[in-house]
Coordinates of all heavy atoms in Angstrom, one line a residue:
M474 N -53.5 15.4 17.5 CA -52.2 16.1 17.4 C -51.0 15.2 17.8 O -51.0 14.6 18.9 CB -52.2 17.4 18.3 CG -50.9 18.2 18.2 SD -51.0 19.6 19.3 CE -50.6 18.9 20.8
D475 N -50.1 15.1 16.9 CA -49.0 14.2 17.2 C -47.8 15.1 17.6 O -47.2 15.8 16.8 CB -48.6 13.4 16.0 CG -49.5 12.2 15.8 OD1 -50.1 11.8 16.8 OD2 -49.7 11.8 14.7
C476 N -47.4 15.0 18.9 CA -46.3 15.7 19.3 C -45.3 14.7 19.8 O -45.6 13.8 20.6 CB -46.7 16.7 20.5 SG -45.3 17.5 21.2
T477 N -44.0 14.9 19.4 CA -43.0 13.9 19.8 C -42.2 14.4 21.0 O -41.3 13.7 21.4 CB -42.1 13.6 18.6 OG1 -41.6 14.8 18.1 CG2 -42.8 12.9 17.5
H478 N -42.6 15.6 21.5 CA -41.9 16.2 22.7 C -40.4 16.2 22.5 O -39.6 16.0 23.4 CB -42.2 15.4 23.9 CG -43.6 14.9 24.0 ND1 -44.7 15.9 24.1 CD2 -44.2 13.7 24.0 CE1 -45.8 15.2 24.1 NE2 -45.6 13.9 24.1
D479 N -40.0 16.5 21.2 CA -38.6 16.5 20.9 C -37.7 17.4 21.8 O -36.6 17.1 22.1 CB -38.3 16.9 19.4 CG -38.6 15.7 18.5 OD1 -38.7 14.6 19.0 OD2 -38.8 16.0 17.3
E480 N -38.3 18.5 22.2 CA -37.5 19.5 22.9 C -37.4 19.1 24.4 O -36.6 19.7 25.1 CB -38.2 20.9 22.8 CG -38.4 21.4 21.4 CD -37.1 21.5 20.7 OE1 -36.2 22.1 21.2 OE2 -36.9 21.0 19.6
Q481 N -38.2 18.1 24.8 CA -38.2 17.8 26.2 C -37.2 16.8 26.7 O -37.2 15.7 26.2 CB -39.6 17.4 26.6 CG -40.7 18.4 26.3 CD -40.3 19.8 26.8 OE1 -40.0 19.9 28.0 NE2 -40.4 20.8 25.9
E482 N -36.3 17.2 27.6 CA -35.4 16.3 28.2 C -36.0 15.7 29.4 O -36.7 16.4 30.2 CB -34.1 17.0 28.5 CG -33.2 17.1 27.3 CD -31.8 17.7 27.8 OE1 -31.4 17.4 28.9 OE2 -31.2 18.4 27.0
L483 N -35.7 14.4 29.6 CA -36.2 13.8 30.8 C -35.3 14.3 32.0 O -34.1 14.5 31.8 CB -36.1 12.3 30.7 CG -37.0 11.7 29.7 CD1 -36.7 10.2 29.4 CD2 -38.5 11.8 30.1
V484 N -35.9 14.4 33.1 CA -35.2 14.9 34.3 C -35.2 13.9 35.4 O -36.2 13.3 35.7 CB -35.9 16.2 34.8 CG1 -35.2 16.8 36.0 CG2 -35.9 17.3 33.7
F485 N -34.0 13.7 35.9 CA -33.9 12.8 37.1 C -33.6 13.6 38.3 O -32.8 14.5 38.3 CB -32.8 11.8 36.8 CG -33.0 10.8 35.7 CD1 -32.6 11.1 34.4 CD2 -33.7 9.6 36.0 CE1 -32.9 10.1 33.4 CE2 -33.9 8.7 35.0 CZ -33.5 9.0 33.7
E486 N -34.3 13.2 39.4 CA -34.1 13.9 40.6 C -33.7 12.9 41.7 O -34.3 11.8 41.6 CB -35.4 14.6 41.1 CG -35.1 15.9 41.8 CD -36.4 16.7 41.9 OE1 -37.3 16.3 42.7 OE2 -36.5 17.7 41.2
E487 N -32.8 13.2 42.5 CA -32.4 12.2 43.5 C -33.3 12.1 44.6 O -33.6 13.1 45.3 CB -31.0 12.6 44.0 CG -30.3 11.3 44.5 CD -28.7 11.5 44.6 OE1 -28.1 11.5 43.5 OE2 -28.2 11.6 45.7
I488 N -33.9 11.0 44.8 CA -34.9 10.8 45.9 C -34.4 9.5 46.7 O -34.2 8.5 46.1 CB -36.3 10.5 45.3 CG1 -36.8 11.8 44.6 CG2 -37.3 10.2 46.5 CD1 -38.1 11.6 43.8
D489 N -34.2 9.7 48.0 CA -33.6 8.6 48.8 C -32.3 8.1 48.3 O -32.1 6.9 48.3 CB -34.7 7.5 49.0 CG -35.9 7.9 49.8 OD1 -35.8 8.9 50.6 OD2 -36.9 7.3 49.6
G490 N -31.5 9.0 47.7 CA -30.2 8.6 47.2 C -30.3 7.9 45.8 O -29.2 7.5 45.3
W491 N -31.4 7.8 45.2 CA -31.5 7.3 43.9 C -32.1 8.3 42.9 O -33.0 9.0 43.2 CB -32.5 6.1 43.9 CG -31.9 4.9 44.6 CD1 -32.4 4.3 45.7 CD2 -30.8 4.0 44.2 NE1 -31.7 3.2 46.1 CE2 -30.7 3.0 45.2 CE3 -30.0 4.1 43.1 CZ2 -29.7 2.1 45.1 CZ3 -29.0 3.1 43.0 CH2 -28.9 2.1 44.0
P492 N -31.6 8.3 41.6 CA -32.2 9.1 40.6 C -33.6 8.6 40.2 O -33.7 7.4 40.0 CB -31.2 9.1 39.4 CG -30.4 7.9 39.7 CD -30.4 7.5 41.1
C493 N -34.6 9.5 40.3 CA -35.9 9.1 39.9 C -36.4 10.0 38.8 O -36.2 11.2 38.9 CB -36.9 9.1 41.1 SG -36.4 7.9 42.4
L494 N -37.2 9.5 37.9 CA -37.7 10.4 36.9 C -38.8 11.3 37.5 O -39.6 10.9 38.2 CB -38.4 9.6 35.8 CG -37.5 9.1 34.6 CD1 -38.4 8.3 33.7 CD2 -37.0 10.3 33.8
V495 N -38.7 12.6 37.1 CA -39.7 13.5 37.6 C -40.5 14.0 36.4 O -40.1 13.9 35.3 CB -39.0 14.7 38.4 CG1 -38.4 14.3 39.6 CG2 -38.1 15.5 37.5
E496 N -41.7 14.5 36.8 CA -42.6 15.0 35.8 C -42.1 16.1 35.0 O -41.5 17.1 35.5 CB -43.9 15.5 36.6 CG -45.0 16.0 35.7 CD -46.2 16.4 36.6 OE1 -46.9 15.5 37.0 OE2 -46.3 17.6 36.8
V497 N -42.2 16.0 33.6 CA -41.8 17.1 32.7 C -42.9 17.4 31.8 O -43.5 16.6 31.2 CB -40.6 16.7 31.9 CG1 -40.2 17.7 30.9 CG2 -39.4 16.3 32.7
I498 N -43.3 18.7 31.8 CA -44.4 19.1 31.0 C -43.9 19.6 29.6 O -43.0 20.5 29.6 CB -45.3 20.2 31.6 CG1 -45.8 19.8 33.0 CG2 -46.4 20.7 30.7 CD1 -46.7 18.6 33.0
C499 N -44.4 19.0 28.5 CA -43.9 19.5 27.2 C -44.5 20.9 26.9 O -45.6 21.2 27.1 CB -44.5 18.5 26.2 SG -44.1 18.9 24.5
E500 N -43.5 21.7 26.5 CA -43.9 23.1 26.2 C -44.8 23.2 25.0 O -45.6 24.1 24.9 CB -42.7 24.0 26.0 CG -42.0 24.3 27.3 CD -40.6 25.0 27.1 OE1 -40.4 25.5 26.0 OE2 -39.8 24.9 28.0
A501 N -44.7 22.3 24.1 CA -45.5 22.4 22.8 C -46.9 21.9 23.0 O -47.8 22.5 22.4 CB -44.8 21.5 21.7
C502 N -47.1 20.9 23.8 CA -48.5 20.3 23.9 C -49.0 20.2 25.3 O -50.1 19.8 25.5 CB -48.5 19.0 23.2 SG -47.7 17.7 24.1
N503 N -48.2 20.6 26.3 CA -48.6 20.6 27.7 C -48.9 19.2 28.3 O -49.5 19.0 29.3 CB -49.9 21.4 27.9 CG -49.5 22.9 27.9 OD1 -48.5 23.3 28.4 ND2 -50.4 23.7 27.4
A504 N -48.4 18.2 27.6 CA -48.6 16.8 28.1 C -47.5 16.6 29.1 O -46.4 17.1 29.0 CB -48.5 15.8 27.0
N505 N -47.8 15.7 30.1 CA -46.8 15.2 31.0 C -46.0 14.2 30.3 O -46.5 13.1 30.0 CB -47.4 14.7 32.3 CG -46.4 14.2 33.3 OD1 -45.2 14.2 33.0 ND2 -46.9 13.8 34.4
V506 N -44.7 14.5 30.0 CA -43.9 13.7 29.1 C -43.7 12.2 29.6 O -43.8 11.3 28.9 CB -42.6 14.3 28.8 CG1 -41.7 13.4 27.9 CG2 -42.7 15.6 28.1
I507 N -43.5 12.1 30.9 CA -43.3 10.8 31.4 C -44.5 9.9 31.5 O -44.4 8.7 31.6 CB -42.5 10.8 32.8 CG1 -43.4 11.2 33.9 CG2 -41.2 11.5 32.7 CD1 -42.7 11.0 35.3
E508 N -45.7 10.5 31.4 CA -46.9 9.7 31.3 C -47.0 8.9 30.0 O -47.8 8.0 29.9 CB -48.2 10.6 31.5 CG -48.5 10.8 33.0 CD -49.7 11.6 33.1 OE1 -50.4 12.0 32.1 OE2 -50.1 11.9 34.3
L509 N -46.2 9.3 29.1 CA -46.2 8.6 27.8 C -45.5 7.3 27.8 O -45.6 6.5 26.9 CB -45.6 9.5 26.7 CG -46.3 10.8 26.5 CD1 -45.4 11.8 25.7 CD2 -47.6 10.7 25.9
Y510 N -44.7 7.1 28.9 CA -44.0 5.9 29.0 C -44.7 4.9 30.0 O -45.4 5.4 30.9 CB -42.6 6.1 29.6 CG -41.7 7.0 28.7 CD1 -41.6 8.4 28.9 CD2 -41.1 6.4 27.6 CE1 -40.8 9.2 28.1 CE2 -40.3 7.2 26.8 CZ -40.2 8.6 27.0 OH -39.4 9.4 26.2
S511 N -44.5 3.6 29.8 CA -45.1 2.7 30.6 C -44.3 2.6 31.9 O -43.1 3.0 31.9 CB -45.2 1.3 30.0 OG -43.8 0.8 29.9
P512 N -44.9 2.2 33.0 CA -44.1 2.0 34.3 C -42.9 1.2 34.1 O -41.8 1.5 34.6 CB -45.1 1.3 35.2 CG -46.4 1.7 34.7 CD -46.3 1.8 33.2
Q513 N -43.0 0.2 33.2 CA -41.8 -0.6 32.9 C -40.7 0.1 32.2 O -39.5 0.0 32.6 CB -42.2 -1.8 32.1 CG -41.1 -2.8 31.8 CD -40.5 -3.4 33.1 OE1 -41.3 -3.9 33.9 NE2 -39.2 -3.3 33.3
Q514 N -41.1 1.0 31.3 CA -40.1 1.8 30.6 C -39.4 2.8 31.5 O -38.2 3.0 31.5 CB -40.7 2.5 29.4 CG -41.0 1.7 28.2 CD -41.8 2.5 27.1 OE1 -42.9 3.0 27.4 NE2 -41.3 2.5 25.9
I515 N -40.3 3.4 32.4 CA -39.7 4.3 33.4 C -38.7 3.6 34.3 O -37.7 4.1 34.6 CB -40.9 5.0 34.2 CG1 -41.7 5.9 33.2 CG2 -40.3 5.8 35.4 CD1 -42.9 6.5 33.8
E516 N -39.1 2.4 34.7 CA -38.2 1.7 35.6 C -36.9 1.4 34.9 O -35.8 1.5 35.5 CB -38.9 0.3 35.9 CG -38.8 -0.1 37.4 CD -39.7 -1.2 37.7 OE1 -39.3 -2.4 37.4 OE2 -40.8 -1.0 38.2
D517 N -37.0 1.0 33.6 CA -35.8 0.7 32.9 C -34.9 2.0 32.7 O -33.7 1.9 32.9 CB -36.1 0.2 31.5 CG -36.7 -1.2 31.5 OD1 -36.6 -1.9 32.5 OD2 -37.2 -1.6 30.4
M518 N -35.5 3.1 32.5 CA -34.7 4.3 32.3 C -34.1 4.7 33.6 O -32.9 5.2 33.7 CB -35.6 5.5 31.8 CG -36.0 5.3 30.4 SD -36.9 6.7 29.7 CE -38.5 6.6 30.5
E519 N -34.8 4.5 34.7 CA -34.3 4.9 36.0 C -33.1 3.9 36.4 O -32.1 4.3 36.9 CB -35.3 4.8 37.1 CG -36.3 5.9 37.0 CD -37.4 5.9 38.1 OE1 -37.7 4.8 38.6 OE2 -38.0 6.9 38.3
R520 N -33.3 2.6 36.0 CA -32.2 1.7 36.3 C -31.0 2.0 35.5 O -29.8 2.0 36.0 CB -32.7 0.3 36.0 CG -31.8 -0.8 36.7 CD -32.3 -2.2 36.3 NE -32.4 -2.3 34.9 CZ -33.5 -2.9 34.3 NH1 -34.4 -3.4 35.0 NH2 -33.5 -3.0 33.0
D521 N -31.2 2.4 34.2 CA -30.0 2.8 33.4 C -29.3 4.0 34.0 O -28.1 4.1 34.0 CB -30.5 3.2 32.0 CG -30.9 2.0 31.1 OD1 -30.6 0.9 31.6 OD2 -31.5 2.2 30.1
E522 N -30.1 5.0 34.4 CA -29.5 6.2 35.0 C -28.7 5.8 36.3 O -27.6 6.3 36.5 CB -30.6 7.2 35.4 CG -30.1 8.5 36.0 CD -29.4 9.4 35.0 OE1 -29.4 9.1 33.8 OE2 -28.7 10.3 35.5
R523 N -29.3 4.9 37.1 CA -28.6 4.5 38.3 C -27.3 3.8 38.0 O -26.3 4.0 38.6 CB -29.5 3.6 39.1 CG -30.6 4.3 39.8 CD -31.7 3.4 40.3 NE -32.9 4.2 40.6 CZ -34.0 3.8 41.2 NH1 -34.0 2.5 41.5 NH2 -35.0 4.6 41.3
S524 N -27.3 2.9 37.0 CA -26.1 2.2 36.7 C -25.0 3.1 36.1 O -23.8 3.0 36.3 CB -26.3 1.0 35.8 OG -26.7 1.4 34.5
F525 N -25.6 4.1 35.3 CA -24.7 5.1 34.8 C -24.0 5.9 35.9 O -22.8 6.1 35.9 CB -25.5 6.1 33.9 CG -24.7 7.2 33.4 CD1 -23.8 7.1 32.3 CD2 -24.9 8.5 33.9 CE1 -23.0 8.1 31.9 CE2 -24.2 9.6 33.4 CZ -23.2 9.4 32.4
Q526 N -24.8 6.3 36.9 CA -24.2 7.1 38.0 C -23.3 6.2 38.8 O -22.2 6.6 39.3 CB -25.3 7.6 38.9 CG -26.1 8.7 38.2 CD -26.9 9.6 39.2 OE1 -26.8 9.4 40.4 NE2 -27.7 10.5 38.6
A527 N -23.6 4.9 39.0 CA -22.8 4.0 39.8 C -21.5 3.8 39.1 O -20.4 3.8 39.7 CB -23.5 2.7 40.0
D528 N -21.5 3.7 37.8 CA -20.3 3.5 37.0 C -19.4 4.7 37.1 O -18.2 4.6 37.3 CB -20.6 3.3 35.5 CG -21.1 1.9 35.2 OD1 -21.1 1.1 36.1 OD2 -21.6 1.7 34.0
A529 N -20.0 5.9 37.1 CA -19.2 7.1 37.2 C -18.6 7.2 38.6 O -17.5 7.6 38.7 CB -20.1 8.4 36.9
Y530 N -19.4 6.8 39.6 CA -18.9 6.8 41.0 C -17.7 5.9 41.1 O -16.6 6.2 41.6 CB -20.0 6.4 41.9 CG -19.6 6.2 43.3 CD1 -19.3 7.4 44.1 CD2 -19.5 5.0 43.9 CE1 -18.9 7.2 45.4 CE2 -19.1 4.8 45.3 CZ -18.8 6.0 46.0 OH -18.4 5.8 47.3
Y531 N -17.8 4.6 40.6 CA -16.7 3.7 40.7 C -15.5 4.1 39.9 O -14.3 3.9 40.3 CB -17.1 2.3 40.3 CG -18.0 1.7 41.4 CD1 -19.3 1.3 41.2 CD2 -17.5 1.5 42.7 CE1 -20.1 0.8 42.2 CE2 -18.3 1.0 43.7 CZ -19.6 0.7 43.4 OH -20.4 0.2 44.4
D532 N -15.8 4.7 38.7 CA -14.7 5.3 37.9 C -13.9 6.3 38.7 O -12.6 6.3 38.6 CB -15.2 5.9 36.6 CG -15.5 4.9 35.6 OD1 -15.1 3.7 35.8 OD2 -16.1 5.2 34.5
S533 N -14.6 7.2 39.4 CA -13.9 8.2 40.1 C -13.1 7.6 41.3 O -12.0 8.1 41.6 CB -14.9 9.3 40.6 OG -15.7 8.8 41.7
L534 N -13.6 6.6 41.9 CA -12.9 5.9 43.0 C -11.6 5.3 42.5 O -10.6 5.4 43.1 CB -13.8 4.8 43.6 CG -14.9 5.1 44.6 CD1 -15.4 3.9 45.2 CD2 -14.3 6.0 45.7
R535 N -11.8 4.6 41.3 CA -10.6 3.9 40.7 C -9.5 5.0 40.3 O -8.4 4.7 40.5 CB -11.1 3.1 39.5 CG -10.0 2.1 39.0 CD -10.4 1.6 37.7 NE -10.6 2.7 36.8 CZ -11.5 2.7 35.7 NH1 -12.2 1.6 35.5 NH2 -11.6 3.7 35.0
D536 N -10.0 6.1 39.7 CA -9.0 7.1 39.3 C -8.3 7.6 40.6 O -7.1 7.9 40.5 CB -9.8 8.3 38.7 CG -10.2 7.9 37.3 OD1 -9.8 6.8 36.8 OD2 -11.0 8.6 36.7
A537 N -9.0 7.8 41.7 CA -8.4 8.3 42.9 C -7.4 7.3 43.4 O -6.3 7.6 43.8 CB -9.4 8.6 44.0
E538 N -7.7 6.0 43.3 CA -6.8 4.9 43.7 C -5.5 4.9 42.8 O -4.4 4.8 43.3 CB -7.6 3.6 43.6 CG -6.7 2.4 44.1 CD -6.4 2.5 45.6 OE1 -7.1 3.2 46.3 OE2 -5.4 1.9 46.0
L539 N -5.7 5.0 41.5 CA -4.6 5.0 40.6 C -3.7 6.2 40.9 O -2.5 6.1 40.9 CB -5.1 5.1 39.2 CG -5.7 3.8 38.6 CD1 -6.3 4.0 37.2 CD2 -4.7 2.7 38.6
E540 N -4.3 7.3 41.2 CA -3.6 8.5 41.5 C -2.7 8.3 42.8 O -1.6 8.7 42.8 CB -4.6 9.7 41.7 CG -3.9 11.0 41.9 CD -3.2 11.5 40.6 OE1 -3.5 11.1 39.5 OE2 -2.2 12.3 40.8
R541 N -3.3 7.7 43.8 CA -2.6 7.4 45.0 C -1.4 6.5 44.7 O -0.3 6.7 45.3 CB -3.5 6.8 46.0 CG -4.0 7.7 47.1 CD -4.5 7.0 48.3 NE -5.5 6.0 48.0 CZ -6.8 6.2 47.8 NH1 -7.3 7.4 47.9 NH2 -7.7 5.3 47.5
M542 N -1.7 5.5 43.9 CA -0.6 4.5 43.6 C 0.5 5.2 42.9 O 1.7 5.0 43.1 CB -1.1 3.4 42.8 CG -1.9 2.4 43.6 SD -2.9 1.3 42.6 CE -1.6 0.4 41.7
R543 N 0.2 6.1 42.0 CA 1.2 6.8 41.2 C 2.0 7.7 42.1 O 3.2 7.7 42.0 CB 0.5 7.7 40.1 CG 1.3 7.7 38.9 CD 0.7 8.4 37.7 NE -0.5 9.1 37.9 CZ -1.7 8.8 37.4 NH1 -1.8 7.8 36.6 NH2 -2.8 9.5 37.6
E544 N 1.3 8.3 43.0 CA 2.1 9.2 43.9 C 3.0 8.5 44.9 O 4.1 8.9 45.2 CB 1.1 10.1 44.7 CG 0.6 11.3 43.9 CD -0.6 12.0 44.6 OE1 -0.9 11.7 45.8 OE2 -1.2 12.9 44.0
S545 N 2.5 7.3 45.4 CA 3.3 6.6 46.4 C 4.5 5.9 45.7 O 5.4 5.5 46.4 CB 2.4 5.6 47.1 OG 1.9 4.6 46.2
S546 N 4.4 5.7 44.4 CA 5.5 5.0 43.7 C 6.6 6.0 43.3 O 7.7 5.6 42.8 CB 5.0 4.3 42.5 OG 4.6 5.2 41.5
Q547 N 6.4 7.2 43.5 CA 7.4 8.2 43.1 C 8.5 8.4 44.2 O 8.2 8.3 45.4 CB 6.8 9.6 42.8 CG 6.2 9.6 41.4 CD 5.4 10.8 41.2 OE1 5.2 11.6 42.0 NE2 4.8 10.9 40.0
Ligands
LIG1143 ZN1 -45.4 17.5 23.3

């Protein structure tokens, strides 16, 4: 049976301050979706998620800083 687990979204849970992939069971075939990935692929996805979150964090810091500058220049 070929199931592509199309309906299944990967889930990241924060563990020790880092997003980590958690087990997701495919509703169509009951397979553990993340077992289909190699440890290297999982590591890559976790790293992508971490850099994505870090970027969002720094963006929000920068926005707050810009906001402060805008307010103090008025
Ligand atoms: Zn499946």
